[in-house]
Amino acid sequence: MQNSLQKTGKAVISLLLAVAIIFSVFAVGTISAFAATSTGVGLSAYCLNAYYEQWDYVWGGTTPGAVDCSGLIYSYNGVGGIRTDMLASSSEWGYVSSGIPRIHGLGLHMPGHVGVYVGNGLAVDARSSYYDMCYGSVSQLRWVEWFKIYGVSYPTTGWVLYNGDSYYYENGQYVVNTSRTLDGVKYTFGSDGVSNIAPPSSAYSQTDYSTSSNGSSGSNTSKPSKNDGILRVGSEGAEVKKLQNALISAGYYNEDVTGYFGQYTESCVKQFQKDMGLLVDGEVGPYTWAALESYEAPTEKKTEAPTEKKTEPPTAASTYEQVTEEVTDFDASAEAEPETEKATDAHTENETAASTEKPTEAPTPAPTEPPKVDKLAMGGEGTKVSQLQSRLAELRYYFGDIDGVFDDETYNAMQAYFAASELKPVEEMTDEQFAVLLSDAAVKSPEYMNLQLGYTGTDVTALQKLLIEAGYMNGEASGIFDEKTQDAVKLAQANFALEVDGIADNEFISALEAQIDSVKETEPETETQTEDATQEPTQESTQEPTGSKEGDTTVTAPTSSGNSSKTTNVSSNTQTQGKGTAKTGSATTFIWISAILFFISILSLAVFTTQGTKKGQINRYRK
C-alpha cells in the first residue's frame, strides 16, 4: 500500500514538473516575443501612422483611433507601465534641456503630458481635443524630460529602417554627419542620420513593420493615399484646384492652377502655415482650410472710378443766345415789341427754372446693412472669430458660446489675454498676434489652474472624480465645472477650513487628495475596529460571501463625512497607488507566472530527489 502511494506521488510530482517546465518555456517565449515586437522604431512608425490617420483625442482613450496622450503609447502593445506616471516606470531618463539622445521611440514628458520622439528633432503627441494628433518640432512644446518607455526595446548597434529611411546605430544612438564602411560598402550619413545607400534587407535589426497591439502594421514608409479629407503631395482634383485658387488669392501661389498637389504647392502651403503660426507640415487639413478661408490679404488703397462731371445750370448769356436764335425763326411779320417781350419772358422763366431746379443726380440706394467682415474686432463675424473664441476658451479667458460673432464678451476676453501676455491692448488683433495666440507660445490665463465655474477640460474631470471618490459629489464626471461641482467644492472647503469660494486651486486639490489617501491608509484599521465593535459573528456570518472571488477582501471604510460607510472589494490582483491604478501588463504577468512555476518545479524536483535519496539509504541499510 505504501509503495503504491509512493508511486502515485512520484507520478503526480513528475507531471507537475513537466507542466511547470512547459509553462515556463511558454512564458519566457512570450516575454521574448513581447520585447521583440515592441521596438523604438516600431513605436515611432506606429505614432506617425496615427498622425497620418488623424486619430481623435479622447480623454482616457487607449483604443487605436481614439486615444489621449498616454493612451497613444499604451495602445502600442500595452507598453509604458503605469499610465498615470510613465516617467516613474522608466529605467533611464534625462532632461531635454541637456539634449535628447538620437534614439527613435523615446518618451517625452512635461507636467500633465507625454509624447513620443521619432528622431531628427521631431515628435508625435495626442495633444488635446482642440488639436488631436500633432507631428512637428520638439521645440513646439516645453518638454522637460526624455525617457525610455517601459516595455520598449531600443536598438544598440546595427541598422534600423524607419519611415523608408535607413539609420545605423552605434553605442545606442544613430550616427550623423559621418561615414562608415560596412561589409565592404561605404555609407554616408547626413545631419538627419539617414544613409545615402540602403543596406541589404537582412541587415536590419529593427524595422517599422513591427505588429501593433491591434494587429495592424506599424509601418508607414510613405504618406498614405486615402480619403481622409486632407490634401497632401499626390492629391489631385477639384479640391486641389480650390486650394491653389485660395493660395493665389492669399498671395502665396504664382503658377497655373493644375489641380495636382506637387512639390511647389506643398512649399506654398508650408510658407502660409509658417506665416499663420500653424503646424508646418505641408498638408491641408481643417485648420489650414479655415485659415485660408478667413485670410484677408493686405489691401492697397482702391482708386475710385471716375465720375461724370455734373452739368452746371446754363448761364444767362447762353440762355439768351438760345432764346434769340429761337426768336429769329419766328415770322418776320410779327411785331418787334411783342417778340421782345416774349424773349424777355422766356429768358426770365428759363433763368428762374435753372436757379430753382436741383442738378440731376443718380438715385440714392436704400440704406443696407454693412457686409459681414471676418475680423478680430467688434462687429466681426465668421470662421476666424470662431477660431479666436475657441482658442481663448481653451486658454480660459472666454466662457461664452463659440458662435463666430465678435461681441462684448469676446472683446473682454481678448483684452484679458492682452493684459496677461503683457501686450499693448488694441481694438483689433493683428494677424501676427493671432498666429501667436494659436501657437504653443500663447499665455494661459492667470486663473488657468484655479478651476472654477464655467471651466471645462480633463483637469475638471479629474477634480470631479476626486470629489466623487471622497463622497462630496454624486453622479459621473462630466468635465464641465457646473453649479453642482461648485457646491461640492464649497462643501469640501468648509470641511477643510479653507476659504469657501467654490474655486479649486492647488491647495484645495492637495487637501482633497490627502483626505482620500488617509482614508485608504486607515481602511484595514477601520475594518478591525468594526469587527471588534460588533457582536461575535455566528457561523453563518463568517461564511464566505456568495459570488466573491478567491483572494478578494471585503473592506468597510468611512466616507468623507464619517457618518456612513461604503463597502469595496479590493482584489489581490489589483494594486491601488496614490492617484491612479497600477495596471499590470502582460509581460509582468508572465514574469510572475514563470517565477511561481519555476519555484514549483524546483520544489517538486527537491522532493523527488529527497525521496530517492532516502530510498537509497534504506536499501543500503537493508543490504
Side-chain angles (χ1 to χ4, degrees):
M1 181 67 178
Q2 186 175 0
N3 292 335
S4 177
L5 291 174
Q6 288 179 350
K7 290 180 180 180
T8 303
K10 291 177 182 178
V12 172
I13 292 172
S14 300
L15 180 61
L16 289 174
L17 181 61
V19 171
I21 292 174
I22 292 173
F23 271 96
S24 298
V25 172
F26 173 75
V28 173
T30 305
I31 295 169
S32 300
F34 177 84
T37 57
S38 302
T39 64
V41 171
L43 175 61
S44 296
Y46 180 82
C47 293
L48 189 61
N49 188 67
Y51 166 75
Y52 286 142
E53 291 182 354
Q54 283 299 292
W55 291 4
D56 293 326
Y57 177 93
V58 177
W59 188 86
T62 59
T63 305
V67 296
D68 60 8
C69 61
S70 61
L72 172 64
I73 298 174
Y74 184 82
S75 66
Y76 176 72
N77 293 333
V79 302
I82 302 174
R83 281 194 59 209
T84 54
D85 195 355
M86 289 186 169
L87 181 62
S89 304
S90 174
S91 60
E92 185 178 347
W93 65 276
Y95 290 107
V96 172
S97 59
S98 300
I100 303 175
R102 298 187 302 273
I103 303 174
H104 294 95
L106 288 175
L108 296 172
H109 174 262
M110 62 185 298
H113 191 52
V114 291
V116 176
Y117 182 67
V118 297
N120 197 26
L122 300 172
V124 177
D125 65 293
R127 190 160 302 176
S128 66
S129 57
Y130 183 84
Y131 289 105
D132 292 322
M133 297 298 304
C134 294
Y135 170 49
S137 173
V138 173
S139 60
Q140 288 184 341
L141 294 181
R142 297 180 179 90
W143 298 110
V144 179
E145 300 98 354
W146 60 265
F147 63 97
K148 288 189 174 181
I149 298 172
Y150 171 80
V152 174
S153 173
Y154 293 98
T156 54
T157 301
W159 289 97
V160 302
L161 177 65
Y162 167 65
N163 202 27
D165 295 320
S166 301
Y167 300 80
Y168 188 75
Y169 273 76
E170 283 184 355
N171 301 320
Q173 299 187 57
Y174 60 81
V175 299
V176 295
N177 297 321
T178 187
S179 60
R180 293 287 187 275
T181 300
L182 306 169
D183 296 329
V185 180
K186 184 177 181 180
Y187 299 91
T188 303
F189 304 91
S191 59
D192 55 359
V194 176
S195 173
N196 63 328
I197 304 174
S201 57
S202 59
Y204 294 110
S205 61
Q206 289 188 10
T207 70
D208 55 8
Y209 302 105
S210 302
T211 304
S212 65
S213 59
N214 65 335
S216 63
S217 172
S219 172
N220 195 69
T221 57
S222 61
K223 296 181 180 180
S225 176
K226 54 184 177 296
N227 296 324
D228 58 0
I230 298 176
L231 300 181
R232 54 176 64 91
V233 172
S235 301
E236 54 186 330
E239 286 297 304
V240 178
K241 289 184 178 180
K242 178 182 175 182
L243 166 66
Q244 291 170 337
N245 282 319
L247 289 169
I248 289 175
S249 300
Y252 286 84
Y253 188 91
N254 298 316
E255 299 292 336
D256 295 333
V257 175
T258 61
Y260 177 77
F261 198 120
Q263 297 294 332
Y264 175 71
T265 304
E266 182 185 44
S267 64
C268 296
V269 171
K270 286 183 176 180
Q271 185 60 48
F272 176 77
Q273 291 172 330
K274 180 179 179 181
D275 293 346
M276 294 297 103
L278 302 171
L279 175 64
V280 182
D281 59 0
E283 298 183 356
V284 182
Y287 296 116
T288 303
W289 268 123
L292 276 170
E293 291 173 353
S294 61
Y295 180 77
E296 294 182 4
T299 55
E300 298 179 359
K301 187 175 180 180
K302 296 181 180 179
T303 304
E304 297 182 357
T307 56
E308 294 184 2
K309 187 177 181 181
K310 294 182 180 180
T311 304
E312 297 180 358
T315 61
S318 60
T319 304
Y320 183 79
E321 290 177 358
Q322 181 180 1
V323 173
T324 303
E325 291 178 357
E326 291 177 357
V327 171
T328 307
D329 293 336
F330 289 144
D331 188 359
S333 60
E335 296 180 1
E337 184 176 352
E339 290 179 10
T340 304
E341 291 177 357
K342 290 180 181 179
T344 304
D345 293 341
H347 172 76
T348 304
E349 290 176 1
N350 288 338
E351 187 175 2
T352 303
S355 61
T356 57
E357 291 181 3
K358 295 182 179 180
T360 304
E361 297 180 357
T364 304
T368 58
E369 295 182 0
K372 297 177 180 179
V373 179
D374 194 6
K375 61 180 180 178
L376 303 181
M378 289 298 295
E381 185 173 348
T383 305
K384 197 172 182 180
V385 177
S386 297
Q387 284 184 296
L388 173 71
Q389 292 173 329
S390 297
R391 184 56 173 157
L392 290 175
E394 185 173 291
L395 298 174
R396 289 174 175 163
Y397 294 99
Y398 179 74
F399 304 102
D401 296 330
I402 311 299
D403 53 10
V405 178
F406 198 109
D407 52 11
D408 290 335
E409 191 171 3
T410 307
Y411 175 82
N412 293 333
M414 184 180 75
Q415 296 302 330
Y417 164 74
F418 281 144
S421 305
E422 297 183 356
L423 297 174
K424 181 180 179 180
V426 293
E427 295 299 310
E428 180 174 358
M429 181 176 285
T430 65
D431 291 339
E432 292 77 10
Q433 292 171 333
F434 187 48
V436 173
L437 176 69
L438 295 178
S439 72
D440 296 319
V443 177
K444 295 179 180 179
S445 167
E447 296 295 318
Y448 186 88
M449 300 302 296
N450 297 333
L451 306 181
Q452 52 192 285
L453 189 65
Y455 279 19
T456 59
T458 56
D459 48 358
V460 176
T461 304
L463 169 66
Q464 291 172 328
K465 288 183 177 180
L466 291 175
L467 291 169
I468 293 170
E469 185 177 358
Y472 293 104
M473 180 176 170
N474 298 321
E476 297 181 353
S478 63
I480 303 173
F481 200 114
D482 50 14
E483 292 182 356
K484 179 181 178 181
T485 307
Q486 187 182 53
D487 292 340
V489 171
K490 288 182 177 180
L491 178 63
Q493 286 174 329
N495 189 41
F496 299 149
L498 298 174
E499 181 184 357
V500 181
D501 56 4
I503 299 176
D505 55 12
N506 289 333
E507 182 183 5
F508 171 77
I509 294 175
S510 298
L512 189 60
E513 291 173 344
Q515 176 179 333
I516 294 173
D517 291 341
S518 65
V519 170
K520 290 179 180 178
E521 291 174 358
T522 57
E523 280 177 355
E525 180 181 354
T526 305
E527 178 186 11
T528 304
Q529 293 175 354
T530 305
E531 291 177 355
D532 293 340
T534 57
Q535 62 180 2
E536 183 178 357
T538 63
Q539 183 179 358
E540 182 181 358
S541 64
T542 57
Q543 294 178 353
E544 183 179 15
T546 305
S548 63
K549 295 183 181 179
E550 183 180 355
D552 287 2
T553 304
T554 302
V555 179
T556 303
T559 61
S560 59
S561 61
N563 298 326
S564 61
S565 63
K566 59 180 180 179
T567 301
T568 58
N569 286 332
V570 182
S571 174
S572 60
N573 296 327
T574 304
Q575 182 180 9
T576 304
Q577 300 177 348
K579 302 178 185 177
T581 301
K583 298 184 179 179
T584 305
S586 58
T588 307
T589 304
F590 279 120
I591 290 173
W592 278 106
I593 293 174
S594 177
I596 294 171
L597 293 177
F598 182 73
F599 176 75
I600 294 174
S601 303
I602 296 299
L603 182 61
S604 302
L605 182 62
V607 173
F608 183 79
T609 304
T610 303
Q611 290 183 350
T613 303
K614 289 182 178 180
K615 182 178 180 182
Q617 291 175 350
I618 293 172
N619 290 337
R620 286 196 299 273
Y621 177 75
R622 289 177 178 175
K623 290 180 180 180

